[in-house]
PDB file of all heavy atoms in Angstrom:
ATOM      1  N   ALA A1209      23.650  82.186  31.863  1.00 95.00           N
ATOM      2  CA  ALA A1209      22.407  82.811  32.285  1.00 95.00           C
ATOM      3  C   ALA A1209      21.463  81.818  32.906  1.00 95.00           C
ATOM      4  O   ALA A1209      20.616  82.193  33.721  1.00 95.00           O
ATOM      5  CB  ALA A1209      21.688  83.415  31.047  1.00 95.00           C
ATOM      6  N   ALA A1210      21.630  80.543  32.557  1.00 91.00           N
ATOM      7  CA  ALA A1210      20.724  79.498  33.168  1.00 91.00           C
ATOM      8  C   ALA A1210      21.220  78.993  34.509  1.00 91.00           C
ATOM      9  O   ALA A1210      20.526  78.276  35.200  1.00 91.00           O
ATOM     10  CB  ALA A1210      20.661  78.296  32.195  1.00 91.00           C
ATOM     11  N   ARG A1211      22.403  79.459  34.971  1.00 86.00           N
ATOM     12  CA  ARG A1211      22.943  79.039  36.257  1.00 86.00           C
ATOM     13  C   ARG A1211      22.133  79.673  37.363  1.00 86.00           C
ATOM     14  O   ARG A1211      21.551  80.785  37.207  1.00 86.00           O
ATOM     15  CB  ARG A1211      24.417  79.440  36.390  1.00 86.00           C
ATOM     16  CG  ARG A1211      25.335  78.774  35.438  1.00 86.00           C
ATOM     17  CD  ARG A1211      25.843  77.505  36.018  1.00 86.00           C
ATOM     18  NE  ARG A1211      26.672  77.759  37.145  1.00 86.00           N
ATOM     19  CZ  ARG A1211      27.110  76.834  37.988  1.00 86.00           C
ATOM     20  NH1 ARG A1211      26.751  75.572  37.802  1.00 86.00           N
ATOM     21  NH2 ARG A1211      27.842  77.053  39.044  1.00 86.00           N
ATOM     22  N   PRO A1212      22.078  79.016  38.566  1.00 77.00           N
ATOM     23  CA  PRO A1212      21.435  79.648  39.686  1.00 77.00           C
ATOM     24  C   PRO A1212      22.059  81.001  40.069  1.00 77.00           C
ATOM     25  O   PRO A1212      23.240  81.179  39.816  1.00 77.00           O
ATOM     26  CB  PRO A1212      21.603  78.621  40.838  1.00 77.00           C
ATOM     27  CG  PRO A1212      21.841  77.344  40.138  1.00 77.00           C
ATOM     28  CD  PRO A1212      22.606  77.683  38.836  1.00 77.00           C
ATOM     29  N   ALA A1213      21.314  81.895  40.684  1.00 57.00           N
ATOM     30  CA  ALA A1213      21.801  83.193  41.017  1.00 57.00           C
ATOM     31  C   ALA A1213      22.979  83.075  41.939  1.00 57.00           C
ATOM     32  O   ALA A1213      23.957  83.848  41.820  1.00 57.00           O
ATOM     33  CB  ALA A1213      20.716  84.017  41.641  1.00 57.00           C
ATOM     34  N   GLN A1214      22.982  82.170  42.867  1.00 42.00           N
ATOM     35  CA  GLN A1214      24.039  81.999  43.758  1.00 42.00           C
ATOM     36  C   GLN A1214      24.902  80.799  43.373  1.00 42.00           C
ATOM     37  O   GLN A1214      24.491  79.627  43.470  1.00 42.00           O
ATOM     38  CB  GLN A1214      23.542  81.772  45.199  1.00 42.00           C
ATOM     39  CG  GLN A1214      22.802  82.877  45.761  1.00 42.00           C
ATOM     40  CD  GLN A1214      23.636  84.128  45.930  1.00 42.00           C
ATOM     41  OE1 GLN A1214      24.836  84.050  46.316  1.00 42.00           O
ATOM     42  NE2 GLN A1214      23.102  85.328  45.680  1.00 42.00           N
ATOM     43  N   THR A1215      26.056  81.058  42.748  1.00 47.00           N
ATOM     44  CA  THR A1215      26.945  80.008  42.284  1.00 47.00           C
ATOM     45  C   THR A1215      27.707  79.387  43.489  1.00 47.00           C
ATOM     46  O   THR A1215      28.266  80.145  44.285  1.00 47.00           O
ATOM     47  CB  THR A1215      27.954  80.540  41.309  1.00 47.00           C
ATOM     48  OG1 THR A1215      27.205  81.159  40.209  1.00 47.00           O
ATOM     49  CG2 THR A1215      28.830  79.415  40.735  1.00 47.00           C
ATOM     50  N   ILE A1216      27.672  78.107  43.526  1.00 44.00           N
ATOM     51  CA  ILE A1216      28.418  77.414  44.634  1.00 44.00           C
ATOM     52  C   ILE A1216      29.899  77.531  44.342  1.00 44.00           C
ATOM     53  O   ILE A1216      30.363  77.074  43.281  1.00 44.00           O
ATOM     54  CB  ILE A1216      27.930  75.970  44.757  1.00 44.00           C
ATOM     55  CG1 ILE A1216      26.478  75.917  45.076  1.00 44.00           C
ATOM     56  CG2 ILE A1216      28.752  75.270  45.826  1.00 44.00           C
ATOM     57  CD1 ILE A1216      25.929  74.494  45.101  1.00 44.00           C
ATOM     58  N   ARG A1217      30.609  78.055  45.262  1.00 45.00           N
ATOM     59  CA  ARG A1217      32.099  78.193  45.087  1.00 45.00           C
ATOM     60  C   ARG A1217      32.849  77.257  45.985  1.00 45.00           C
ATOM     61  O   ARG A1217      32.260  76.700  46.933  1.00 45.00           O
ATOM     62  CB  ARG A1217      32.471  79.644  45.374  1.00 45.00           C
ATOM     63  CG  ARG A1217      31.849  80.697  44.480  1.00 45.00           C
ATOM     64  CD  ARG A1217      32.220  80.408  43.028  1.00 45.00           C
ATOM     65  NE  ARG A1217      33.625  80.456  42.817  1.00 45.00           N
ATOM     66  CZ  ARG A1217      34.299  81.551  42.435  1.00 45.00           C
ATOM     67  NH1 ARG A1217      33.705  82.701  42.270  1.00 45.00           N
ATOM     68  NH2 ARG A1217      35.616  81.398  42.248  1.00 45.00           N
TER      69      ARG A1217
END
Side-chain angles (χ1 to χ4, degrees):
R1211 295 272 294 168
Q1214 296 297 323
T1215 304
I1216 300 175
R1217 301 300 302 267

